[in-house]
Amino acid sequence: MSKKYKVIGIGNAVVDVISRAEDTFLDLMGIEKGIMQLVEQARGQTLYAAMKDRVQTPGGSVANTIAGVGTLGLSTAFIGRVHDDALGRFYAEAMTKEGIDFVNPPVPGGELPTSRSMIFVSPDGERSMNTYLGISSELGPDDVSEAVTGQAEIVFLEGYLFDKPKGKEAFLKAARTCRAAGGMAGIAISDPFCVERHRDDFLTLIENEMDYVIGNEAEIRSLFRNDDLEADLAAVSAICPLLVCTRSGDGVTIIKDGVRTDIPVTKVVPVDATGAGDQFAAGFLYGLATGRDMETAGRMGCVAASEVISHIGPRPEANMQALFRQRGLI
C-alpha cells in the first residue's frame, strides 16, 4: 500500500536570517567564526538588530533536507514547532508554499518566540551561526501525530532535538509508529556535542530504533570515539543496517548491511557552505525513497550538496531533477 508521504522530517523549525559580514564585524560583536553557537533571547535580539540587508528563509537542518526532497517531486511533511508570531507565521507559510505539509499550526500564546538563527557569511564563504532556539526546542510527543508518521515511508530525525527528554519521546513515538506501519526511520546526528551529552541514549536509539544514520566524519567519530575512522565506521555499521558518512572533500562512505560503497567528490570552494550536509541528505533520501542503489543515492547526495554550496542560502535553487539527468543518475 502506498503511503501519503515519501519522507517526513522532525526537527527544529528555525528562521534563518542571513547577512554578509566582514571578519572585523565578527570580532567587534564577539562572534566566534565558523561555528554554531546557541544564544539567549537578549543576545539574539542584539545580533538581529545589528544585521544589515537581512535575508530571511525557513531553515533548520532537517527542514532544509525535507525542502530539498520536496523540490525533487516527492510528497513530504515536516513536524516542527513555531510560535504564532510574525516569524512563526512566515515559517509556516514559506514551508507550505514549497509544497511541504507543515502539519502543526503555529502555537497561539506559545511559551517562547519562534526560533531563529542569525547567520553571518564571511567573504571566504565561512558561516558563523548564532542560534536562539526558542519554541522549537520544546517539541514533544504531543506534536507528533501518529496519523502523519504512520503514513510515512521514511522518517528523518534531527539529532539537535535529542537534547531534551520531550524531544527523545517525540523521536521514539515517530520512529515506532513509522516502523510499525512498515516505514524506515533514521537520524541525522547533527552535532558531536549533542552526542557527547547523551552518548548512551544516542547509541541505544540507533541500535534499537533506527534503520539508517547520516553524519559527517566528526559526528560519526563521536559515537564510539575509537580515534580511528575505520574502527568507528565498523562499530556504527555493526549496530545500524545503513550508515552514511560524509567526509567533506574526501567523499562519502556508505555501509549498507555490511557492504561498503565509497563515492569520491570533486573539491570546490563554496560560495556559502550553509546547507551542504542537509542537501546531501536530501539527495540521498530521494535515492533511498525511489529505490536506487547506494552508489546512485550517494551520488545524488553529492550533486545536491555541490549545488547548494554554489550560492547563498541553504536550499536548492537549480532544477535538481535536471541536474540528476545531466549526471546520468535518472
Side-chain angles (χ1 to χ4, degrees), residues 42-283:
R43 167 89 170 149
Q45 283 162 337
T46 304
L47 291 176
Y48 186 78
M51 299 181 90
K52 293 186 176 63
D53 302 325
R54 296 187 288 247
V55 178
Q56 286 183 180
T57 61
S61 174
V62 162
N64 289 336
T65 296
I66 294 303
V69 173
T71 57
L72 280 159
L74 300 187
S75 54
T76 57
F78 181 71
I79 295 170
R81 194 170 170 85
V82 296
H83 187 174
D84 189 8
D85 52 17
L87 280 179
R89 289 188 293 272
F90 163 77
Y91 192 95
E93 283 163 22
M95 293 288 274
T96 306
K97 260 195 213 119
E98 290 190 14
I100 300 158
D101 198 347
F102 189 73
V103 293
N104 298 334
V107 182
E111 59 275 29
L112 291 165
T114 294
S115 311
R116 70 211 58 181
S117 182
M118 279 68 67
I119 302 172
F120 298 91
V121 182
S122 308
D124 61 2
E126 192 64 61
R127 66 214 160 112
S128 309
M129 300 177 0
N130 296 263
T131 305
Y132 166 61
L133 275 180
I135 195 172
S136 81
S137 61
E138 297 298 319
L139 185 118
D142 294 348
D143 297 304
V144 176
S145 158
E146 296 188 17
V148 175
T149 50
Q151 277 295 317
E153 289 186 18
I154 296 174
V155 164
F156 190 40
L157 310 169
E158 181 176 308
Y160 286 129
L161 278 177
F162 205 70
D163 258 335
K164 294 200 171 178
K166 280 200 293 199
K168 289 180 190 175
E169 287 173 43
F171 277 10
L172 288 176
K173 183 175 176 184
R176 287 171 180 174
T177 50
C178 170
R179 295 176 90 194
M184 285 179 82
I187 192 166
I189 299 176
S190 300
D191 181 3
F193 303 110
C194 190
V195 176
E196 298 295 334
R197 291 189 288 270
H198 313 277
R199 178 171 289 101
D200 291 348
D201 285 354
F202 235 104
L203 290 172
T204 301
L205 180 83
I206 290 170
E207 182 162 14
N208 298 313
E209 314 283 350
M210 297 291 116
D211 300 296
Y212 65 95
V213 59
I214 300 179
N216 64 25
E217 187 173 336
E219 291 157 1
I220 297 297
R221 281 173 175 267
S222 71
L223 289 167
F224 284 96
R225 292 181 300 177
N226 285 314
D227 206 26
D228 172 60
L229 181 62
E230 290 304 318
D232 286 319
L233 290 170
V236 180
S237 60
I239 63 166
C240 189
L242 174 53
L243 161 66
V244 184
C245 177
T246 58
R247 294 155 59 195
S248 196
D250 296 325
V252 178
T253 298
I254 300 171
I255 304 176
K256 182 176 195 279
D257 300 326
V259 178
R260 178 170 177 152
T261 307
D262 285 298
I263 296 154
V265 295
T266 312
K267 283 189 184 178
V268 289
V269 177
V271 172
D272 170 19
T274 313
D278 304 338
Q279 293 313 320
F280 171 83

